[in-house]
Amino acid sequence: MKKPGKNAEKVLYALVGSEMRQYTGKDLKGMTTLSPQEINMAVRELEEMGAVEVHLRTPQDPYLFTTTTLTAKGRAIFQVMAAPGCDT
C-alpha cells in the first residue's frame, strides 16, 4: 500500500479523529491549517487511494470539491499507518 504524502496524512488524521459526516474545504482548513491548494491536492491524493469520497456539486472556490467523506478504506489505511512498527 502506498503511504499518503504529508498533507494527505494530515487530512486523513483530521477526518479519522472527527465525527463521520461530510466536510467542506473550509472545515478541513480549520482542522489542519493547510492552505486551500494543499487541501485540494491532499483530498485528490486520498480520493485516488480510495480513502475519501469526494462530492462534486458546486465547488466552493478556492476548493475543487464541495464536500468529502472518509471511507471504510480510509479508516483501514489509517489503522495500518498507526500500527506500531508499520512502515508500509
Side-chain angles (χ1 to χ4, degrees), residues 15 21-23 28 43 52-55 65 67-70:
L15 291 172
R21 68 175 181 88
Q22 294 180 4
Y23 289 91
L28 294 176
V43 167
V52 297
E53 182 178 315
V54 173
H55 310 105
F65 59 97
T67 59
T68 189
T69 308
L70 183 67

Side-chain angles (χ1 to χ4, degrees), residues 10-40:
K10 278 185 179 182
V11 170
L12 184 61
Y13 271 80
L15 291 172
V16 167
S18 302
E19 67 181 80
M20 284 297 293
R21 68 175 181 88
Q22 294 180 4
Y23 289 91
T24 65
K26 188 175 178 181
D27 293 333
L28 294 176
K29 183 176 186 335
M31 295 161 68
T32 64
T33 69
L34 296 172
S35 73
Q37 182 180 9
E38 291 170 322
I39 290 170
N40 285 331

